[in-house]
Amino acid sequence: MRRCVIATAVTAVVVGSTLAGLPALAAPGDTITIPTDLATSSALAADQTRGVYWLAPGGPKAVAIDQTGKVVGQVGWDAEVTDIEALAVYNGQLYAGDLDSGSPSPSVTVYRVESSSYGSALPTSKWTFTYPDGPHRAQAMMVSSKGNIWIITNGDPGGLYYAAAPTAPGPQPLAREADAPAWVTDGNFVNANSAVLRTYNSVLSFDMLSYATTGSQAAPQQDRGESATMTLAGDGVLLGSVGDTKLVEAELPTVVEALPPAPSAPPGGGASATPSTEPGASEPAPEEQASQQTSQPGEDTDSGSGLGMRKTIVAVVLAVAVAGVSGWIAYRRQ
């Protein structure tokens, strides 16, 4: 019996030590700390190919950070940009939305960096997308798993605008697909048929086939919450706030919660949106997203901070469980 007890204790210690050494899993509330000079970014995008997150701190460039917040590279292109409000990654290529959210505009500009290498003055494609119904303000751009461009305008309600994946340079028309939730500040496709959107006070799951909100929850407290992307692990959403060095992870909402209306201006101050009512929806253009393949999430990764205690607790609990099972088996054998 003594040998069994000793073996059980050794097993518990070994298992506990092994588990404590494993990478911790990210969870809602975990944060990534970024350099202060990147806190000006109002755009954020996960890049599964490189295993990094992209931010746009100003000018014609985007900076890549790893999951600890360390800068690992950047890309730049030769252009005069006004306001990079959104980033997206499709097919390993980085898209940047120059949306000029400060005032209504009849069009938006989207850049696509054609190189997969870090560097400056990289080859870049440029397209101008024109609204069919006059000037709008916008903060959100999304790229679907077919390379189609989606713009979400500010308003109550907002507007959801679509353009097929561009294949040639020059002006491209946008078509208004449907109303969008009020005062959306960023968005990202979750899979072929759904997206996650954010406002200053909420995180929304949005069906891209029915154009309906399927889940909602309060966003973490952020003064100027204007960026959102899926985590690299694909199991949550990472949220950023202009002027804040903390990126905060949240769950994807699965049920609709009763929430206060989304504000048109950041609760912590800063530039405010001009209240307006978007025009009615036009005849939808076919996105055919039901036929798209669902994108595959990346491997589970550590979000970079605040996980040591949870990791230790998990290790201890599992070690105790293993010890208990081993002891029970030894007792039965006796």
Side-chain angles (χ1 to χ4, degrees), residues 190-229:
V190 176
N191 54 45
N193 302 324
S194 65
V196 59
L197 311 179
R198 78 158 302 167
T199 70
Y200 286 120
N201 69 344
S202 63
V203 179
L204 311 173
S205 292
F206 193 76
D207 190 303
M208 292 298 292
L209 298 179
S210 64
Y211 305 131
T213 299
T214 57
S216 61
Q217 65 189 25
Q221 183 64 42
Q222 293 177 311
D223 287 343
R224 286 189 60 185
E226 297 184 3
S227 58
T229 189

Side-chain angles (χ1 to χ4, degrees), residues 76-330:
W77 57 94
D78 187 12
E80 289 196 17
V81 304
T82 302
D83 187 9
I84 300 296
E85 280 285 331
L87 295 171
V89 177
Y90 163 69
N91 199 27
Q93 295 172 306
L94 178 67
Y95 290 70
D98 192 352
L99 308 183
D100 189 14
S101 66
S103 60
S105 174
S107 63
V108 297
T109 301
V110 174
Y111 297 93
R112 183 178 69 193
V113 180
E114 303 292 350
S115 173
S116 60
S117 303
Y118 296 132
S120 59
L122 295 177
T124 308
S125 295
K126 173 185 175 181
W127 299 281
T128 299
F129 296 93
T130 304
Y131 296 111
D133 50 9
H136 297 280
R137 293 181 71 256
Q139 292 175 277
M141 174 201 71
M142 304 189 300
V143 181
S144 77
S145 57
K146 279 190 173 181
N148 300 324
I149 306 296
W150 293 83
I151 304 295
I152 305 175
T153 58
N154 286 127
D156 187 8
L160 191 64
Y161 292 81
Y162 157 92
T167 58
Q172 311 283 329
L174 288 166
R176 182 172 175 122
E177 289 292 289
D179 287 345
W183 309 115
V184 170
T185 60
D186 204 3
N188 193 99
F189 273 90
V190 176
N191 54 45
N193 302 324
S194 65
V196 59
L197 311 179
R198 78 158 302 167
T199 70
Y200 286 120
N201 69 344
S202 63
V203 179
L204 311 173
S205 292
F206 193 76
D207 190 303
M208 292 298 292
L209 298 179
S210 64
Y211 305 131
T213 299
T214 57
S216 61
Q217 65 189 25
Q221 183 64 42
Q222 293 177 311
D223 287 343
R224 286 189 60 185
E226 297 184 3
S227 58
T229 189
M230 292 296 293
T231 60
L232 287 171
D235 58 356
V237 58
L238 193 65
L239 306 171
S241 176
V242 178
D244 194 340
T245 58
K246 298 289 186 183
L247 305 178
V248 183
E249 185 171 346
E251 292 181 325
L252 287 170
T254 56
V255 297
V256 177
E257 298 180 2
L259 299 173
S264 61
S272 62
T274 302
S276 64
T277 301
E278 296 291 342
S282 62
E283 196 69 23
E287 166 61 3
E288 299 178 350
Q289 292 211 13
S291 65
Q292 298 179 24
Q293 294 296 319
T294 301
S295 57
Q296 297 297 320
E299 297 178 355
D300 289 345
T301 50
D302 190 343
S303 70
S305 64
L307 299 176
M309 180 61 71
R310 179 163 56 255
K311 182 168 60 175
T312 301
I313 292 174
V314 171
V316 170
V317 170
L318 291 179
V320 170
V322 170
V325 172
S326 300
W328 181 81
I329 293 173

